[in-house]
């Protein structure tokens, strides 16, 4: 330890900094998380499971899963297509297109919900037509799905674009030259290479899709048992002073968050391992490109 | 190395099939989900006269909400810069028990639904909460007023600063610090003159990201804010309020203001990231 004294701090400084950082993390992250479970179990396990078995809670859980099951695959297909187009080719307006892909991240969730009301609401562009044909989008499930697709739009694309850019397209070109079709190249060459980035993006996309509140709240109409997702159900119970029941449903979402963090850590670790073995093998893949792809991965998380 | 990568990328690579398909699908999907709906916002605003628009976006309640939203976001982002740097520093430079867990936990605000964060922070800080019960006798109120807004926004913004600064801090070269120390610099001088300038762009990017996210935040804030008009009402809530009174044009006008501001922040963040990349690229 002594030989590093020039590039580190005295022990008491290290100790105080660690203590200060951990205290901050404890107050701002651990305590709120612990509060969710403590409040959920305030009336005991019986009341906890009763709150979760309530029909409205069940329909909220079902709707949340349905929404994520539609939104995540849609954005997955988009993410792969966008990353393929942006990473593998050069064309004018590419930088602008990349910025537009990012746009939904910087739009307030409330604004995201509002734009669909303006499109499909009774006063909206397609409102009269939709009413004439008896189709409900806003204040119904399609609106919830649309708003969720919007807020989770860039997650997978943002993950894949820098990763595929760093990997280049030499391997794909080799496959094509050797006679593989486009689809074969994608399934056999590209997909194995982007596997971890893809899983990573899907995990984050799913967490946001299941937890989105603001955008969904604007388009949902809050009809109990029909257009309530889990976060909206939490809000209703909370506003009705059913605190324990609200926290019981919230605890499921907190568990989802914890599972997401665990999978995310595992994927990061696997990705690092995969990158390490790749760096040791061919000299064609410069270490810097791997570093930049790792840096971009952490950048992506930040964007979310 | 970025130079090498960019020359490789600049080669025409139309050997690969699928360009028309993937780019066409990307543009179509982007238009349907993002661009056309966002343009509805702009067109709806055009149904207002300029005076009506101005009245809608500068009403006293709306102005009070801007002050709260931007003020609280600014304070929260500044707090996040200080503690985000501290957490990133401790995670990169020191070893301690449970470091991996702490590192993973930094992303909790990304993964935890905002509504859950909102009710849990409220329960924690309310008069009967774990923390609130000790503060209330001292006359300190953290929930149901602007203080609560700031705390919720600190929670939401923390990972942005940590995750932008962390990789840059990992890449800083120890040799420079050793050189500084050999040349007689104290540890503090080394930090302020050598380390800090190299992480400053990342710190600024993290600040801008946390600030941008805080301005649009809704779910975690509305539970803890108390939502009193003129006092603790954030701008997204103003939009919701106008919508609930069927004032679609008014809601749209305020939404357009927020959209323009967030788009400008997006451009600022992009510029900062380019700066940061150039800075780190030049140093290595």
């Amino acid at each position: 330890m002594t030989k590093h004294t020039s590039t580190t701090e005295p022990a008491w400084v290290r100790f105080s900094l660690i203590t200060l950082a951990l205290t901050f993390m404890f107050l701002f992250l651990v305590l709120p998380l612990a509060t969710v479970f403590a409040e959920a179990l305030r009336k005991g396990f019986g009341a906890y499971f009763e709150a979760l078995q309530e029909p409205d809670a069940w329909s909220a859980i079902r709707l949340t899963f349905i929404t994520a099951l539609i939104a995540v695959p849609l954005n997955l297909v988009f993410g792969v297509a966008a990353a393929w187009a942006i990473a593998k080719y050069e064309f004018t307006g590419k930088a602008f297109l990349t910025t537009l892909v990012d746009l939904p991240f910087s739009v307030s969730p409330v604004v995201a919900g509002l734009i669909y009301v303006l499109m499909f609401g009774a006063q909206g562009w397609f409102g009269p037509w939709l009413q004439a044909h008896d189709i409900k989008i806003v204040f119904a499930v399609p609106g919830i799905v649309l708003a969720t697709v919007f807020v989770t739009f860039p997650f997978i694309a943002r993950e894949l674009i820098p990763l595929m850019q760093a990997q280049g397209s030499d391997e794909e070109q080799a496959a094509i030259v050797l006679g593989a079709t486009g689809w074969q190249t994608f399934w056999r060459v590209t997909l194995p290479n982007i596997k971890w980035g893809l899983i990573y993006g899907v995990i984050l996309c799913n967490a946001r899709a299941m937890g989105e509140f603001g955008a969904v709240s604007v388009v949902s109409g809050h009809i109990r048992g029909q257009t309530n997702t889990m976060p909206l159900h939490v809000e209703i119970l909370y506003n009705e002073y059913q605190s324990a029941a609200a926290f019981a449903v919230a605890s499921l979402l907190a568990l989802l968050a914890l599972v997401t963090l665990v999978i995310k850590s595992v994927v990061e670790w696997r990705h690092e391992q995969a990158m390490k073995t790749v760096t040791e093998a061919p000299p064609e893949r410069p270490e810097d490109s791997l570093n930049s792809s790792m840096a971009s991965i952490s950048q992506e998380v930040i964007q979310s | 190395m970025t130079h090498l990568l960019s020359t490789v990328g600049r080669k025409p690579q139309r050997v690969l099939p699928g360009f028309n398909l993937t780019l066409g699908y990307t543009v179509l999907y982007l238009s349907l989900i993002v661009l056309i709906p966002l343009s509805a916002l702009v067109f709806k605003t055009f149904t207002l006269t300029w005076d009506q628009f101005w009245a809608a976006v500068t009403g006293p309640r709306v102005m009070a909400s801007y002050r709260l939203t931007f003020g609280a976001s600014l304070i929260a982002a500044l707090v996040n810069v200080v503690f985000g740097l501290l957490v990133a520093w401790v995670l990169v430079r020191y070893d301690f028990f449970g470091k991996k867990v702490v590192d993973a936990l930094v992303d909790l605000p990304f993964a935890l639904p905002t509504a859950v964060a909102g009710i849990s922070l409220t329960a924690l800080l309310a008069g009967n909460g774990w923390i609130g019960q000790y503060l209330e006798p001292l006359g300190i109120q953290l929930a149901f007023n602007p203080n609560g807004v700031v705390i919720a926004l600190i929670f939401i913004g923390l990972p942005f600063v940590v995750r932008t600064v962390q990789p840059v801090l990992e890449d800083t070269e120890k040799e420079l610090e050793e050189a500084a120390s050999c040349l007689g610099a104290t540890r503090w001088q080394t930090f302020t003159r050598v380390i800090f300038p190299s992480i400053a762009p990342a710190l600024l990017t993290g600040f801008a990201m946390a600030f941008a996210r805080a301005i649009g935040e809704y779910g975690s804030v509305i539970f803890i804010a108390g939502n009193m008009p003129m006092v603790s009402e954030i701008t997204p809530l103003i939009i919701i309020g106008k919508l609930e009174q069927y004032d679609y044009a008014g809601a749209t006008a305020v939404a357009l203001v927020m959209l323009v501001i967030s788009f400008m922040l997006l451009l600022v963040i992009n510029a900062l990231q380019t700066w940061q990349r150039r800075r780190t690229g030049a140093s290595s």
Side-chain angles (χ1 to χ4, degrees):
Chain A
M1 224 36 208
T2 41
K3 66 177 177 181
H4 291 304
T5 43
S6 64
T7 55
T8 191
E9 291 72 35
W12 68 270
V13 175
R14 283 204 304 266
F15 181 76
S16 339
L17 288 179
I18 291 173
T19 312
L20 195 60
L22 291 185
T23 311
F24 178 81
M25 295 274 291
F26 180 77
L27 286 177
F28 272 87
L29 299 177
V30 179
L31 268 187
L33 191 61
T35 304
V36 175
F37 295 102
E39 291 284 334
L41 295 171
R42 177 165 284 214
K43 291 185 180 162
F45 280 96
Y48 179 78
F49 288 113
E50 221 163 86
L52 292 182
Q53 278 160 2
E54 205 219 350
D56 285 347
W58 262 109
S59 82
I61 294 171
R62 205 161 43 230
L63 182 57
T64 296
F65 275 90
I66 291 171
T67 307
L69 268 176
I70 301 172
V72 175
L74 278 179
N75 285 336
L76 174 64
V77 173
F78 162 73
V80 172
W84 185 273
I86 290 173
K88 304 288 185 197
Y89 307 102
E90 283 306 317
F91 52 92
T92 41
K94 190 161 115 167
F96 185 59
L97 183 66
T98 316
T99 308
L100 285 181
V101 169
D102 275 348
L103 190 58
F105 272 151
S106 61
V107 173
S108 172
V110 171
V111 178
L114 173 68
I115 59 178
Y116 291 107
V117 175
L118 294 177
M119 292 267 290
F120 303 115
Q123 319 258 315
W125 281 357
F126 301 107
W129 188 87
L130 289 171
Q131 263 175 343
H133 291 79
D134 203 25
I135 304 170
K136 274 194 80 100
I137 292 187
V138 167
F139 308 135
V141 176
I144 294 176
V145 174
L146 272 174
T148 307
V149 169
F150 183 95
V151 292
T152 58
F153 184 86
F155 275 88
I156 297 167
R158 286 285 331 198
E159 212 60 61
L160 294 182
I161 292 168
L163 184 64
M164 280 167 72
Q165 267 172 341
Q167 287 174 345
S169 46
D170 296 349
E171 290 185 29
E172 282 85 357
Q173 280 171 359
I176 296 287
V177 168
L178 292 172
T181 66
W183 285 111
Q184 282 174 328
T185 310
F186 174 74
W187 288 108
R188 306 268 179 85
V189 179
T190 310
L191 201 59
N193 276 340
I194 59 172
K195 186 173 54 182
W196 294 117
L198 200 70
I199 297 172
Y200 197 91
V202 166
I203 290 298
L204 293 179
C205 184
N206 179 62
R208 181 70 193 266
M210 288 189 164
E212 177 52 27
F213 178 75
V216 169
S217 155
V218 175
V219 293
S220 127
H222 305 272
I223 308 163
R224 281 184 89 136
Q226 287 179 39
T227 62
N228 257 353
T229 61
M230 286 165 80
L232 296 177
H233 192 59
V234 168
E235 183 200 21
I236 288 190
L237 291 172
Y238 189 79
N239 287 342
E240 285 172 350
Y241 300 103
Q242 298 189 47
S243 171
F247 276 102
V249 180
S251 73
L252 293 183
L253 289 167
L255 277 178
L256 168 76
L258 288 177
V259 170
T260 302
L261 289 186
V262 169
I263 298 179
K264 190 177 151 297
S265 302
V266 171
V267 169
E268 268 167 351
W269 182 76
R270 289 300 297 265
H271 183 79
E272 239 166 278
Q273 297 298 311
M275 282 308 188
K276 245 180 233 160
T277 49
V278 168
T279 21
E280 278 153 18
E284 264 172 349
R285 241 181 256 168
E287 197 198 347
D288 274 31
S289 77
L290 304 175
N291 283 344
S292 77
S293 84
M294 280 312 289
S296 64
I297 290 254
S298 46
Q299 205 74 289
E300 286 1 291
V301 186
I302 285 148
Q303 293 284 340
S304 63
Chain B
M1 196 45 73
T2 44
H3 168 72
L4 195 148
L5 282 176
S6 63
T7 46
V8 168
R10 217 173 285 128
K11 268 193 309 198
Q13 292 173 341
R14 298 290 160 84
V15 187
L16 292 183
F19 176 69
N20 290 332
L21 176 72
T22 52
L23 185 66
Y25 183 72
T26 301
V27 172
L28 176 74
Y29 188 76
L30 180 74
S31 306
L32 287 179
I33 300 290
V34 180
L35 299 181
I36 296 172
L38 278 178
S39 73
L41 191 75
V42 179
F43 284 112
K44 182 75 181 178
T45 320
F46 284 148
T47 63
L48 294 170
T49 67
W50 175 253
D51 290 334
Q52 285 172 322
F53 174 79
W54 193 248
V57 300
T58 59
R61 238 174 109 175
V62 185
M63 289 304 276
S65 84
Y66 295 145
R67 274 192 294 276
L68 174 68
T69 301
F70 288 98
S73 302
L74 188 68
I75 298 172
L78 287 173
V79 171
N80 276 328
V81 164
V82 175
F83 283 95
L85 174 59
L86 174 71
V87 171
W89 179 268
V90 164
L91 284 176
V92 173
R93 292 297 173 109
Y94 305 145
D95 271 317
F96 53 91
F97 179 73
K99 184 167 141 170
K100 283 242 163 72
V101 178
V102 173
D103 194 10
L105 209 57
V106 168
D107 286 323
L108 180 71
F110 284 151
L112 193 69
T114 52
V116 178
I119 60 169
S120 125
L121 285 170
T122 311
L124 201 55
L125 298 174
N128 56 357
W130 282 350
I131 295 184
Q133 60 179 326
Y134 299 108
L135 296 178
E136 203 171 58
L138 306 172
I140 304 171
Q141 277 261 355
L142 291 182
F144 312 121
N145 59 23
N147 294 336
V149 179
V150 174
I151 288 172
L153 295 180
I154 293 174
F155 176 87
I156 290 301
L158 176 70
F160 290 91
V161 179
V162 179
R163 293 302 186 224
T164 20
V165 173
Q166 209 174 5
V168 180
L169 212 49
E170 269 160 11
D171 284 348
T172 54
E173 288 161 73
K174 284 254 173 176
E175 288 82 357
L176 290 178
E177 293 168 40
E178 278 163 14
S181 134
C182 289
L183 294 169
T186 64
R187 189 64 192 147
W188 178 247
Q189 281 174 324
T190 310
F191 178 78
T192 53
R193 306 272 179 88
V194 178
I195 301 172
F196 189 78
S198 71
I199 57 171
L203 213 49
L204 207 56
T205 311
F207 169 80
M209 283 174 170
F211 183 67
R213 171 69 201 263
I215 284 174
E217 179 56 24
Y218 176 72
S220 60
V221 174
I222 50 153
F223 293 100
I224 202 171
N227 305 328
M228 283 169 289
M230 305 298 293
V231 180
S232 58
E233 212 177 24
I234 54 168
T235 310
L237 188 64
I238 296 272
I239 299 175
I240 300 254
K242 284 183 187 284
L243 271 181
E244 278 169 359
Q245 296 160 11
Y246 301 103
D247 178 9
Y248 286 93
T252 310
V254 178
L256 186 69
V257 171
M258 291 203 69
L259 186 68
V260 168
I261 292 170
S262 44
F263 193 68
M264 286 186 328
L265 279 168
L266 180 67
L267 294 180
V268 168
I269 291 169
N270 274 356
L272 282 172
Q273 279 176 329
T274 314
W275 180 42
Q276 179 192 331
R277 232 169 280 141
R278 207 174 301 145
R279 176 72 81 86
T280 45
S283 70
S284 62

